[in-house]
Amino acid sequence: MHEIIYMRTDYEPWWMFEGWEDKIMSRHEFSSTENAQSYLESVKNDFSRRFSNQQQKNAAFSCYWNEEETEYCENCEEYLQIFHGLIWLVNGQPNTSF
């Protein structure tokens, strides 16, 4: 099973810190690699138009952000960058290759 996950958080998606699942905004499941890849490419194209910065880490992780999108962290007492992350999971694990 393939899953494409969209998360919004103050760190890049590849860190997958404890509790990262709480930051999930949407999750889409696919039975085939082709359908998952097609959906992911469509979301990446949309995000590329909406966000001025992006970074990839192998096939599993994509990260998008705009410099001006920050949120104040009370515990840190500073503003943190907000990242929009995409994760491609295959059977619950990051997809590191096609």
Side-chain angles (χ1 to χ4, degrees), residues 52-88:
S52 55
N53 301 289
Q54 63 182 340
Q55 188 173 358
Q56 300 280 134
K57 188 164 184 167
N58 56 52
F61 304 101
S62 303
C63 185
Y64 300 84
W65 69 98
N66 289 322
E67 296 290 334
E68 63 276 2
E69 187 179 7
T70 61
E71 286 185 359
Y72 188 74
C73 172
E74 302 248 349
N75 293 336
C76 318
E77 297 184 349
E78 67 179 313
Y79 284 90
L80 301 177
Q81 181 65 57
I82 296 301
F83 298 98
H84 299 268
L86 299 171
I87 303 174
W88 182 353

Side-chain angles (χ1 to χ4, degrees), residues 6-96:
Y6 162 50
M7 60 187 285
R8 181 184 181 277
T9 188
D10 58 5
Y11 54 86
E12 294 91 342
W14 44 84
W15 293 112
M16 296 178 86
F17 291 127
E18 184 177 332
W20 71 271
E21 295 94 343
D22 297 336
K23 307 293 184 175
I24 293 175
M25 305 298 288
S26 69
R27 170 179 274 170
H28 296 278
E29 296 180 1
F30 302 90
S31 57
S32 75
T33 300
E34 294 79 19
N35 289 343
Q37 187 172 11
S38 176
Y39 175 77
L40 180 60
E41 289 304 316
S42 122
V43 175
K44 287 166 71 172
N45 287 336
D46 177 47
F47 280 19
S48 291
R49 287 188 294 274
R50 293 173 43 202
F51 302 103
S52 55
N53 301 289
Q54 63 182 340
Q55 188 173 358
Q56 300 280 134
K57 188 164 184 167
N58 56 52
F61 304 101
S62 303
C63 185
Y64 300 84
W65 69 98
N66 289 322
E67 296 290 334
E68 63 276 2
E69 187 179 7
T70 61
E71 286 185 359
Y72 188 74
C73 172
E74 302 248 349
N75 293 336
C76 318
E77 297 184 349
E78 67 179 313
Y79 284 90
L80 301 177
Q81 181 65 57
I82 296 301
F83 298 98
H84 299 268
L86 299 171
I87 303 174
W88 182 353
L89 299 178
V90 179
N91 298 321
Q93 298 298 314
N95 180 32
T96 55

